[in-house]
Amino acid sequence: MDKNNYCVIMAGGVGSRFWPLSKKQQPKQFLDILGTGKTLIQLTFERFASICPVENFFVVTNAKYKDLVLQQLPQIKENQVLLEPLRRNTAPCIAYANFKIQKRNSEASIIVTPADHLILNETKFLDVLGKGIKFVEDGNQLLTLGIQPSRPETGYGYIQVSNKAVTNNSDIYPVKTFTEKPHLDLAKIFHESGEFYWNSGIFVWKLKDIQEAFSRYLPDVKALFEDGIDSLDTEGEQAFIDQIYPECQNISIDYGILEKSENVFVYCSEFGWSDLGTWGSLYEHSSKDNNDNAVQGENVMMYESKDCLVNVPDDKLVVVQGLKDYIVVETDKTLLICRKRDEQELRKIVNDVKITKGEKFV
């Protein structure tokens, strides 16, 4: 295991599209949403533990989730949990982690990953990561992992690749364009062209190269953290972060740096990836019964129902009769029943609940 390998886990999202299971007090990254006995952030940590030493992990999350992180990842220390006072998208999050790592190891190679993704073929994934780390060590490249699309998905960002691969690695290509979630007609064109890959949101780069990119494309964000680097790893760190974070530009690393840089590459692969962004994506990757129902809950009885996703507590008896293509989710205070094809309405529903029923249900 290389002591220069670092892993930054981004775990600050609220996961509103998995409501009512995911709520502000406990978002989806802290839930056993796959029914494996482990939460998504625990699975993410374990995924990278064979590549990065335990002391080289950093989890960036909202301040309110500090205790959840430490409870679920007892392997890491308190100073490895970086607390954001408010959400400012991925660029400030990554900048914060960069400076924490810089104080420890200027030669670091960094993997940046969301906390809530699904990887089915972990052997292939780790092989890709190993080759990716070797690739960025040989130059000043910024690397993102691209996924071979299996359908014209409108919920993912896309990366268009150059038609000429890197000479010594036929799976790594220069990036031509980035496109955020396209409409269906455009997604179909992307899917059929063979030039576009899903943007996994998993990145690999050397510390010096990403810091140079911040200097060039997001100098104001970098300067905010640079001014207080001496306070990091001291008792004054949190006060400093709380002070500067509201001043940080609210911007993604993709839009702020990667779309502007000329040295961005994509490793095109397929290892059973999903961002688990919706109930529908969870249904797609869940085991199903003979009627294509994906059921989580020990006391669920299904009658004349097909293509449903049911997620209920083990101690509840739930009987579902005559439903097709529905989502049924129950928590201690909330029951959701909606058609799978209408789940994009969940954010509006959650907002309506907040307005009419108060914060206790969200």
Side-chain angles (χ1 to χ4, degrees), residues 99-161:
F99 280 98
K100 288 281 283 190
I101 294 169
Q102 184 172 308
K103 292 200 72 172
R104 291 160 170 76
N105 186 346
S106 61
E107 298 300 314
S109 296
I110 305 173
I111 302 162
V112 179
T113 179
D116 51 6
H117 286 186
L118 171 68
I119 305 292
L120 293 177
N121 189 339
E122 298 211 356
T123 301
K124 174 67 181 239
F125 177 70
L126 292 175
D127 180 62
V128 167
L129 270 183
K131 291 176 180 176
I133 291 170
K134 178 67 168 61
F135 174 73
V136 301
E137 286 177 347
D138 291 340
N140 66 336
Q141 302 96 334
L142 306 177
L143 183 67
T144 181
L145 303 191
I147 311 300
Q148 179 74 51
S150 59
R151 61 188 183 276
E153 173 63 54
T154 60
Y156 297 155
Y158 284 75
I159 303 169
Q160 184 183 20
V161 302

Side-chain angles (χ1 to χ4, degrees), residues 34 36 38 40 42-51 117-130 270-273:
L34 296 169
T36 63
K38 295 178 180 178
L40 292 178
Q42 289 173 329
L43 292 173
T44 301
F45 177 85
E46 291 180 1
R47 187 173 299 136
F48 296 96
S50 63
I51 296 178
H117 286 186
L118 171 68
I119 305 292
L120 293 177
N121 189 339
E122 298 211 356
T123 301
K124 174 67 181 239
F125 177 70
L126 292 175
D127 180 62
V128 167
L129 270 183
E270 175 50 55
F271 36 75
W273 170 90

Side-chain angles (χ1 to χ4, degrees), residues 32-71:
D32 176 16
I33 209 158
L34 296 169
T36 63
K38 295 178 180 178
T39 66
L40 292 178
I41 194 172
Q42 289 173 329
L43 292 173
T44 301
F45 177 85
E46 291 180 1
R47 187 173 299 136
F48 296 96
S50 63
I51 296 178
C52 303
V54 171
E55 62 272 18
N56 289 4
F57 278 81
F58 289 94
V59 178
V60 189
T61 190
N62 189 281
K64 70 177 79 170
Y65 304 137
K66 174 185 175 182
D67 291 341
L68 276 173
V69 172
L70 292 172
Q71 288 166 14

Side-chain angles (χ1 to χ4, degrees), residues 42-260:
Q42 289 173 329
L43 292 173
T44 301
F45 177 85
E46 291 180 1
R47 187 173 299 136
F48 296 96
S50 63
I51 296 178
C52 303
V54 171
E55 62 272 18
N56 289 4
F57 278 81
F58 289 94
V59 178
V60 189
T61 190
N62 189 281
K64 70 177 79 170
Y65 304 137
K66 174 185 175 182
D67 291 341
L68 276 173
V69 172
L70 292 172
Q71 288 166 14
Q72 295 196 5
L73 299 179
Q75 305 94 326
I76 67 175
K77 297 179 180 178
E78 190 170 343
N79 68 356
Q80 292 173 258
V81 185
L82 314 188
L83 304 178
E84 299 179 294
L86 70 168
R87 298 179 68 188
R88 276 294 182 264
N89 217 313
T90 53
C93 156
I94 289 169
Y96 184 6
N98 286 345
F99 280 98
K100 288 281 283 190
I101 294 169
Q102 184 172 308
K103 292 200 72 172
R104 291 160 170 76
N105 186 346
S106 61
E107 298 300 314
S109 296
I110 305 173
I111 302 162
V112 179
T113 179
D116 51 6
H117 286 186
L118 171 68
I119 305 292
L120 293 177
N121 189 339
E122 298 211 356
T123 301
K124 174 67 181 239
F125 177 70
L126 292 175
D127 180 62
V128 167
L129 270 183
K131 291 176 180 176
I133 291 170
K134 178 67 168 61
F135 174 73
V136 301
E137 286 177 347
D138 291 340
N140 66 336
Q141 302 96 334
L142 306 177
L143 183 67
T144 181
L145 303 191
I147 311 300
Q148 179 74 51
S150 59
R151 61 188 183 276
E153 173 63 54
T154 60
Y156 297 155
Y158 284 75
I159 303 169
Q160 184 183 20
V161 302
S162 167
N163 57 10
K164 188 175 181 180
V166 175
T167 304
N168 60 351
N169 193 320
S170 60
D171 294 320
I172 297 179
Y173 294 81
V175 171
K176 286 178 70 174
T177 63
F178 287 85
T179 303
E180 278 304 304
K181 304 170 182 177
H183 57 74
L184 182 58
D185 289 343
L186 190 55
K188 288 178 179 177
I189 293 172
F190 288 174
H191 183 228
E192 292 167 3
S193 74
E195 295 182 6
F196 289 81
Y197 289 77
W198 289 336
N199 186 355
S200 71
I202 301 171
F203 310 111
V204 185
W205 41 54
K206 294 281 289 184
L207 172 66
K208 64 180 181 62
D209 297 325
I210 190 62
Q211 289 289 63
E212 181 181 328
F214 267 96
S215 295
R216 180 173 297 183
Y217 301 109
L218 290 175
D220 292 347
V221 172
K222 184 180 181 185
L224 285 170
F225 290 93
E226 205 160 31
D227 287 345
I229 190 171
D230 290 341
S231 70
L232 301 182
D233 292 323
T234 73
E235 291 183 357
E237 175 176 336
Q238 195 59 53
F240 164 68
I241 294 299
D242 291 348
Q243 176 186 344
I244 69 163
Y245 237 77
E247 301 177 45
C248 284
Q249 189 176 355
N250 187 346
I251 191 169
S252 70
I253 195 73
D254 303 71
Y255 186 74
I257 289 180
L258 300 183
E259 293 185 21
K260 299 178 174 67

Side-chain angles (χ1 to χ4, degrees), residues 325-343:
D325 201 41
Y326 267 76
I327 298 168
V328 179
V329 182
E330 184 182 6
T331 63
D332 54 346
K333 295 179 180 178
T334 310
L335 172 64
L336 169 70
I337 303 171
C338 77
R339 289 174 297 202
K340 286 214 303 285
R341 67 176 182 267
D342 294 333
E343 71 165 323

Side-chain angles (χ1 to χ4, degrees), residues 289 291 293 295 299-308 310 317-325:
D289 64 18
N291 291 309
N293 296 308
V295 177
N299 295 294
V300 179
M301 302 175 70
M302 305 291 292
Y303 295 91
E304 300 167 4
S305 296
K306 293 189 62 174
D307 304 319
C308 292
V310 180
L317 171 63
V318 176
V319 180
V320 178
Q321 191 275 335
L323 292 185
K324 181 179 180 181
D325 201 41

Side-chain angles (χ1 to χ4, degrees), residues 13-32:
V14 295
S16 61
R17 288 180 293 178
F18 269 96
W19 182 87
L21 198 61
S22 174
K23 297 182 178 178
K24 284 184 178 179
Q25 294 82 2
Q26 195 161 22
K28 68 170 180 173
Q29 60 267 31
F30 302 111
L31 301 173
D32 176 16

